[in-house]
Amino acid sequence: MAAVSFNVSAAHYGESHSSFLSARLVADRLGVTLAELAKLIGVARNTLTAKSSARKVDAALSNVVRILAMAGEMAGDDSRAVIWFKHQPIPGWAGKTAYDLVGQGKADKVLAYLEAVRSGVYA
């Protein structure tokens, strides 16, 4: 059942006419510019809008979308997930937020933290 919720939530980040994630939708939901999103996920700003780079952008955005979808599922809505992602320090990471950790290439650590919390481990 959780996988269904996750898939529905993650679908909010894609265009209806494409099978790829939309950088513009992700940036809008996070309240950041495309340049800030590009820096966060480690790609060039022009890569986000180039049609030929859709697969690369999709791969780079996938962890952010997975984190937001999982946090949205746990928090009850997407707006709370975005607030958590950008502003809530994660215990054990010296006051760093999920946004900070993703920007440092540690999205896997954020996903592991969310999995632990969802499993009932106090992190």
Side-chain angles (χ1 to χ4, degrees):
M1 185 75 171
V4 172
S5 299
F6 175 77
N7 290 335
V8 170
S9 183
H12 293 296
Y13 298 97
E15 298 283 348
S16 60
H17 63 277
S18 173
S19 61
F20 296 109
L21 297 169
S22 167
R24 189 165 310 282
L25 284 175
V26 174
D28 288 346
R29 297 220 190 239
L30 286 176
V32 298
T33 66
L34 285 175
E36 291 169 325
L37 180 62
K39 182 178 178 185
L40 175 69
I41 63 173
V43 300
R45 162 65 176 88
N46 293 338
T47 303
L48 290 181
T49 56
K51 297 271 189 237
S52 62
S53 301
R55 287 188 194 280
K56 181 177 181 177
V57 172
D58 194 68
L61 284 173
S62 66
N63 280 336
V64 173
V65 170
R66 287 177 61 208
I67 290 167
L68 290 172
M70 191 180 296
E73 176 186 314
M74 293 167 65
D77 71 26
D78 291 342
S79 61
R80 285 182 173 173
V82 169
I83 291 169
W84 172 84
F85 182 78
K86 291 174 68 178
H87 302 290
Q88 182 65 44
I90 295 178
W93 286 97
K96 293 183 180 175
T97 64
Y99 185 94
D100 298 331
L101 292 172
V102 169
Q104 295 175 352
K106 296 179 180 171
D108 58 327
K109 303 296 184 191
V110 177
L111 287 165
Y113 168 77
L114 288 173
E115 275 296 331
V117 170
R118 185 163 61 175
S119 298
V121 175
Y122 178 75

